[in-house]
Amino acid sequence: RKEVEQDPGPFNVPEGATVAFNCTYSNSASQSFFWYRQDCRKEPKLLMSVYSSGNEDGRFTAQLNRASQYISLLIRDSKLSDSATYLCVGGTNYGGSQGNLIFGKGTKLSVKP
Amino acid sequence: EAGVAQSPRYKIIEKRQSVAFWCNPISGHATLYWYQQILGQGPKLLIQFQNNGVVDDSQLPKDRFSAERLKGVDSTLKIQPAKLEDSAVYLCASSFPTSGGLSSYNEQFFGPGTRLTVL
């Protein structure tokens, strides 16, 4: 069973649309969660952290539901430049020291004019 | 500020050959990671170093893969001998170590990766 599962898409949306990505995780050891963005043939880059209280950064909103083991990312007013693969990520900590990241397969978003 | 450096950027080899990748982390980052990203998948951790010590190598195929970080700064990842299924992008990442606590987590910064093709 995959530890972090995402719908691979692709999601094809027009500019200005609102799009939502969902992700579930199965590893209860994951304590921290993130969304990373990866452009074609580029390295992943941190988009935002995810908190139970919700986290908003401009047009992007991330939410964590620990009871359901569910993570979401909402993008409002989509721009052409939002086209990328969005990776749902769980982080584990080992006894207080930083652990490692567990990545989902990614959801591909394509924003069209 | 300089980012994570990796070389080479591309490598094409035949199966059963050997290959080595190099990574230089961001200055001051004690934690270094090697990930393997197969096409269509998310990155998968191969090995994590804290300074020159291994923190986690549970997913490293140790019969053919090896990695070292002898002086606690730059690192090399080696595959010997390579198989067709090793074709992937090998990503190096680095971060500051955390001060501890279950919720503490520092951002990992990734290098551009080395794209390996095994024929």
Side-chain angles (χ1 to χ4, degrees):
Chain A
R1 181 179 177 185
K2 299 293 184 184
E3 296 195 35
V4 177
E5 294 203 54
Q6 299 180 247
D7 180 347
F11 283 60
N12 297 309
V13 303
E15 269 188 293
T18 295
V19 61
F21 304 140
N22 303 316
C23 164
T24 58
Y25 66 94
S26 59
N27 183 2
S28 59
S30 291
Q31 298 292 333
S32 307
F33 299 91
F34 312 90
W35 284 99
Y36 271 69
R37 171 189 169 132
Q38 187 170 26
D39 292 293
C40 188
R41 302 179 80 86
K42 298 286 189 181
E43 70 273 22
K45 292 184 179 179
L46 179 65
L47 177 66
M48 60 197 306
S49 301
V50 188
Y51 307 118
S52 298
S53 56
N55 186 20
E56 186 172 323
D57 183 3
R59 297 181 294 107
F60 298 81
T61 300
Q63 191 76 47
L64 165 65
N65 184 322
R66 288 191 184 272
S68 303
Q69 296 186 286
Y70 175 92
I71 302 156
S72 65
L73 177 67
L74 184 75
I75 305 175
R76 292 180 297 277
D77 188 23
S78 300
K79 312 291 185 189
L80 296 176
S81 57
D82 294 334
S83 297
T85 296
Y86 290 83
L87 298 160
C88 179
V89 187
T92 59
N93 297 83
Y94 303 130
S97 63
Q98 181 161 316
N100 58 72
L101 298 177
I102 300 171
F103 286 82
K105 288 186 176 183
T107 299
K108 187 173 182 179
L109 172 65
S110 181
V111 182
K112 307 292 187 184
Chain B
E1 179 183 324
V4 176
Q6 289 190 246
S7 68
R9 293 296 308 277
Y10 305 91
K11 191 74 177 178
I12 300 174
I13 61 173
E14 295 188 348
K15 59 183 179 183
R16 291 188 289 274
Q17 286 188 321
S18 301
V19 65
F21 313 128
W22 175 82
C23 171
N24 193 30
I26 293 172
S27 179
H29 281 192
T31 310
L32 184 148
Y33 311 79
W34 282 102
Y35 290 88
Q36 179 194 58
Q37 186 172 23
I38 293 171
L39 187 65
Q41 306 281 323
K44 183 186 82 170
L45 180 74
L46 293 175
I47 189 167
Q48 176 186 350
F49 291 95
Q50 181 91 349
N51 297 306
N52 62 352
V54 175
V55 174
D56 183 1
D57 63 356
S58 57
Q59 297 190 91
L60 186 74
K62 297 181 185 65
D63 58 334
R64 298 184 302 107
F65 286 65
S66 64
E68 60 183 18
R69 194 186 183 198
L70 294 176
K71 296 183 179 179
V73 180
D74 57 347
S75 175
T76 55
L77 176 69
K78 296 180 181 178
I79 308 175
Q80 180 180 11
K83 293 186 175 182
L84 296 177
E85 59 261 34
D86 298 333
S87 294
V89 176
Y90 290 85
L91 294 160
C92 180
S94 70
S95 69
F96 284 112
T98 65
S99 56
L102 289 176
S103 62
S104 64
Y105 209 98
N106 286 333
E107 180 179 354
Q108 293 186 22
F109 294 86
F110 285 81
T114 296
R115 186 172 298 272
L116 174 68
T117 302
V118 182
L119 303 176

